[in-house]
Amino acid sequence: MNNDIMIIHYSHGGEAPSSLGELVNFAAALASHTGGGVAALLVGTDGCVQASEAARTFRINTHGVDVPVSSLHDTQAIAGCVRDILAGIGVRYLCVTHDVPGSHLAGGLAVYLDACCITAVERISGSAAGIAFERTIMNGKFRMSAGSGGPRTVVTVMPGSFARGGGIAGTTGRGGAVCHQFLNTAGGIVSAGCIPASESDRALDEAEVIIAAGRGIGSRENLSLIRETAGLFRNAAIAGSRPVCDFDWLPYSRQVGMTGRKVSPKMYFACGISGAQQHIAGITGARFIVAVNSDPKAAIFSVADVCIVDDLRGFLPALCERAMTGGVG
Amino acid sequence: MRACCVTMKILVCIKQVPDLDAHLERNESLTWIREGASVGYRMNRYDEFAIEEAVRIRERISGTVIDAVSVGPGRVLSALKRSLEKGVDEVFHIPVDTAGHISAATVSWLIAEFARSRSYDLIVCGVMAEDDMQGIVGPMIAARLGIPSAVSILFEELNETGTAVTVECEVDAESRNRLILDLPCLLTVQTGINRPRYPSLSNVMRAKAKGIAVIDVSGDMTGLRTEINYGLAALPDAKKGIVLNGSREEKADALLKILHERSLL
Ligand SMILES: Cc1cc2nc3c(=O)[nH]c(=O)nc-3n(C[C@H](O)[C@H](O)[C@H](O)COP(=O)(O)OP(=O)(O)OC[C@H]3O[C@@H](n4cnc5c(N)ncnc54)[C@H](O)[C@@H]3O)c2cc1C
Ligand SMILES: Nc1ncnc2c1ncn2[C@@H]1O[C@H](COP(=O)(O)O)[C@@H](O)[C@H]1O
């Protein structure tokens, strides 16, 4: 069978690698355009075991490679190893998860395989010109559509953009799994352990309402507006986007997003937050989203249930004032 | 104590990006944004952290030299000037004849060719550019040069002999990886690793007088595999939820009403 799409699933030791299902669904969507087959290569400390499981679960042919812990973050070595494994296989598309280690690997793979690289893909569509890979850029202000410019393309897939369940249509029977030897041809980098976070601040997990500040609050002093707004609710906590924590206006335990907390409150109120994908990744579990932003084009409005285009420095005091004077009830 | 003669030669890669808070429009060919007086350009914020980390290394290891390089049209000179103000020693401009999107393959190839013969101990990039949001230029430069790389670092410490660097890489909120890389190597720097300082007056004065070297990278780029840009669409296409209208007080009242209805207040 012509396996022209190869999923590269990289278990780098970070968050639970639920991304395999998403990659399979992405690959299935891609295959519906190319008409080719899908296979997967599982890279990790137990890549071969994972490959057998994936072959059973998704009924596709898989490859596995067991990477020693000391080389697990040497993406150069891993890229070299993937290149060697793929040497005899006619792969046109390689699909990798767009997280930080995944993009790292993708950049190396593109160079090693002389492939073009399209990152953070959220949608695929067919067009007269060819398959279009769509990605949002500039904090969600534009969507860029790109096509592959060569016989091989590395695509990184934005987490959360494709479903996790399901599988490849039309595949029956069971796939075979091949276990490969890891040969480190690069070197120059060793893993020296993992440092777990020592956070005990669970406020964001427990709050029913989260009032979140973005760079748009402008100054540390304006956090008082966020606090006052939180005071309107019975059980509210305050949070921030990454820049707000980088400025040290809030501790990192209050950062929401891809590299922060994933929250699921009854209401998330985003104040002066642009809505970059890395922030949105943390609020997909929120049941109701309200956003205030002075820019009507801010991407946060594409996920908010209630949109308020206004300067938060005027709107939040007005909101508190109206709530106190019982304007409505 | 560090040996007397260990010094570092560092290259910081600087990208100039449009100010994303401003109103941006697409260019004629709908492939990138329109240049114009209303669009402000500034240094990619991630790269400010990269410069600051390089400056901190120089403070620890005297004799260290910091170069900065930027690929782009003529306007990127202002970002390079800014990097001088922030403490970079020498700056290099690799001009390209487009104000539009430049692929990561092209940028990484140009920078790798530039860096190849200049024996840098350390190449530092930002973790991501704010405009095209790729996070692959750094890894691609490292792969082209065949040097080890680590991404999204939040801590860095060079060993005493100047042969290796220990870094901590952010993976997610739960954990960081500690890695040891041989030099020369490439690191991409995540925000929060330091607090970029404001330029000192003396650096601002020095930057005024300093020249910017223009680099002509020769070589054949025809074989480079780059993506084809089919164009940009403006977002958000549609707002998902309801938009509150009216005066500020009316909007506040409308929101309070919704919050009451949902028993959130
Ligand atoms: C690997 C990686 C991981 C990341 N992880 C995270 C993460 O976990 N969490 C996270 O948040 N980010 C993360 N980021 C950063 C992310 O890409 C964005 O840069 C960040 O979310 C932007 O934060 P912001 O919206 O507060 O700031 P900006 O993007 O600067 O937006 C500020 C907004 O405020 C609005 N505004 C300005 N003034 C006002 C006013 N007076 N009233 C109302 N609105 C106003 C502006 O219109 C703008 O929309 C990550 C980035 C990378 C590369
Ligand atoms: N045109 C450029 N000139 C110099 N450095 C760049 C350029 N584009 C990207 N970089 C570097 O690569 C990093 C990541 O960019 P990207 O891969 O485009 O997200 C940036 O933070 C810069 O350090």
Side-chain angles (χ1 to χ4, degrees):
Chain A
M1 183 159 123
N2 175 18
N3 286 328
D4 74 339
I5 301 170
M6 181 69 78
I7 291 166
I8 311 285
H9 187 254
Y10 176 25
S11 297
H12 44 71
E15 251 163 40
S18 54
S19 53
L20 179 58
E22 295 183 19
L23 288 175
V24 168
N25 278 293
F26 169 80
L30 181 55
S32 72
H33 291 286
T34 66
V38 176
L41 166 59
L42 290 99
V43 180
T45 49
D46 61 347
C48 289
V49 173
Q50 286 190 37
S52 307
E53 277 172 23
R56 265 197 308 279
T57 311
F58 298 105
R59 297 176 172 164
I60 52 176
N61 289 327
T62 63
H63 301 259
V65 58
D66 289 344
V67 181
V69 176
S70 59
S71 296
L72 193 58
H73 303 286
D74 188 344
T75 55
Q76 220 105 283
I78 294 174
C81 175
V82 171
R83 175 190 51 198
D84 297 343
I85 292 172
L86 297 187
I89 312 173
V91 172
R92 282 203 287 160
Y93 294 96
L94 290 88
C95 317
V96 188
T97 299
H98 187 83
D99 53 10
V100 170
S103 330
H104 190 190
L105 178 60
L109 278 175
V111 171
Y112 276 45
L113 294 166
D114 193 23
C116 97
C117 190
I118 305 177
T119 59
V121 171
E122 293 161 323
R123 302 206 307 210
I124 321 177
S125 59
S127 75
I131 301 169
F133 297 92
E134 299 180 14
R135 49 195 308 272
T136 50
I137 56 173
M138 303 195 195
N139 275 355
K141 288 207 158 177
F142 297 99
R143 175 174 288 133
M144 179 175 178
S145 178
S148 67
R152 263 191 184 164
T153 303
V154 178
V155 181
T156 70
V157 181
M158 196 70 182
S161 305
F162 291 84
R164 285 182 179 177
I168 316 271
T171 48
T172 50
R174 53 180 304 179
V178 185
C179 183
H180 297 266
Q181 197 76 32
F182 178 78
L183 291 172
N184 189 343
T185 50
I189 171 164
V190 287
S191 295
C194 179
I195 310 151
S198 57
E199 276 305 339
S200 56
D201 181 354
R202 316 284 344 159
L204 296 185
D205 301 332
E206 284 151 17
E208 279 185 6
V209 170
I210 293 176
I211 315 292
R215 203 199 309 263
I217 68 166
S219 69
R220 184 196 293 270
E221 289 63 47
N222 285 339
L223 268 181
S224 61
L225 302 176
I226 304 295
R227 287 210 176 81
E228 270 167 50
T229 308
L232 300 177
F233 302 88
R234 284 180 299 271
N235 176 11
I238 63 170
S241 65
R242 183 168 185 127
V244 166
C245 301
D246 288 335
F247 293 141
D248 208 13
W249 295 346
L250 284 175
Y252 281 107
S253 58
R254 297 299 176 97
Q255 181 194 316
V256 169
M258 180 182 130
T259 47
R261 294 297 165 99
K262 314 276 182 295
V263 298
S264 42
K266 283 188 180 158
M267 174 175 97
Y268 188 82
F269 189 178
C271 307
I273 291 176
S274 61
Q277 297 97 316
Q278 292 85 2
H279 186 81
I280 304 299
I283 59 172
T284 51
R287 267 166 278 170
F288 191 64
I289 299 174
V290 179
V292 55
N293 196 303
S294 49
D295 177 3
K297 294 267 183 204
I300 190 76
F301 290 136
S302 61
V303 297
D305 298 286
V306 178
C307 311
I308 301 145
V309 181
D310 204 347
D311 186 329
L312 67 91
R313 291 166 301 181
F315 180 77
L316 294 181
L319 181 71
C320 294
E321 145 99 34
R322 301 298 283 184
M324 293 308 181
T325 55
V328 272
Chain B
M1 272 293 285
R2 178 171 287 282
C4 72
C5 311
V6 176
T7 59
M8 287 286 142
K9 199 170 164 197
I10 305 177
L11 176 66
V12 189
C13 303
I14 305 294
K15 184 171 195 184
Q16 189 189 48
V17 295
D19 182 2
L20 299 177
D21 284 352
H23 176 67
L24 302 176
E25 283 175 0
R26 291 171 293 165
N27 61 12
E28 298 280 297
S29 58
L30 306 180
T31 51
W32 203 241
I33 57 162
R34 188 196 298 276
E35 301 270 311
S38 63
V39 184
Y41 282 90
R42 56 171 169 77
M43 187 187 298
N44 183 33
R45 290 204 182 94
Y46 294 90
D47 304 345
E48 296 184 14
F49 292 87
I51 292 179
E52 177 65 24
E53 203 56 28
V55 169
R56 288 182 188 207
I57 291 173
R58 191 180 55 199
E59 285 169 351
R60 298 200 303 264
I61 307 172
S62 61
T64 293
V65 176
I66 308 171
D67 290 354
V69 65
S70 188
V71 177
R75 60 169 155 70
V76 309
L77 294 182
S78 65
L80 285 169
K81 278 279 178 200
R82 185 76 184 155
S83 70
L84 286 168
E85 293 176 358
K86 286 180 164 289
V88 164
D89 296 304
E90 300 287 336
V91 289
F92 300 87
H93 175 209
I94 303 179
V96 291
D97 57 7
T98 172
H101 183 242
I102 320 168
S103 75
T106 308
V107 172
S108 63
W109 188 86
L110 289 167
I111 294 178
E113 288 307 300
F114 163 76
R116 201 179 295 281
S117 58
R118 303 179 65 90
S119 54
Y120 290 107
D121 300 295
L122 202 57
I123 301 180
V124 195
C125 289
V127 73
M128 176 176 97
E130 289 173 272
D131 56 355
D132 64 9
M133 306 184 81
Q134 306 211 84
I136 52 166
V137 166
M140 286 178 105
I141 295 172
R144 293 193 193 285
L145 294 173
I147 58 174
S149 59
V151 293
S152 202
I153 69 157
L154 285 171
F155 169 83
E156 138 289 304
E157 187 173 53
L158 288 151
N159 73 354
E160 294 196 349
T161 47
T163 52
V165 61
T166 301
V167 299
E168 287 175 19
C169 303
E170 180 176 63
V171 182
D172 50 45
E174 311 304 326
S175 61
R176 294 181 185 185
N177 288 320
R178 184 178 283 135
L179 307 173
I180 303 165
L181 290 84
D182 290 345
L183 298 187
C185 70
L186 181 142
L187 305 175
T188 77
V189 168
Q190 176 59 299
T191 62
I193 186 175
N194 54 44
R195 199 81 65 74
R197 70 194 88 172
Y198 290 105
S200 66
L201 187 61
S202 60
N203 275 342
V204 173
M205 300 310 287
R206 192 178 58 89
K208 278 208 172 76
K210 190 93 193 164
I212 293 178
V214 178
I215 300 295
D216 178 20
V217 176
S218 55
D220 184 11
M221 280 205 289
T222 48
L224 272 188
R225 304 294 183 190
T226 60
E227 73 274 31
I228 304 163
N229 183 349
Y230 290 147
L232 305 193
L235 288 175
D237 314 294
K239 297 208 176 18
K240 171 180 166 250
I242 56 165
V243 181
L244 302 186
N245 292 309
S247 71
R248 188 165 272 165
E249 284 66 31
E250 284 165 346
K251 286 189 278 190
D253 286 348
L255 178 59
L256 289 170
K257 187 157 174 281
I258 293 168
L259 299 178
H260 275 294
E261 281 163 7
R262 297 187 69 92
S263 304
L264 286 162
L265 275 177

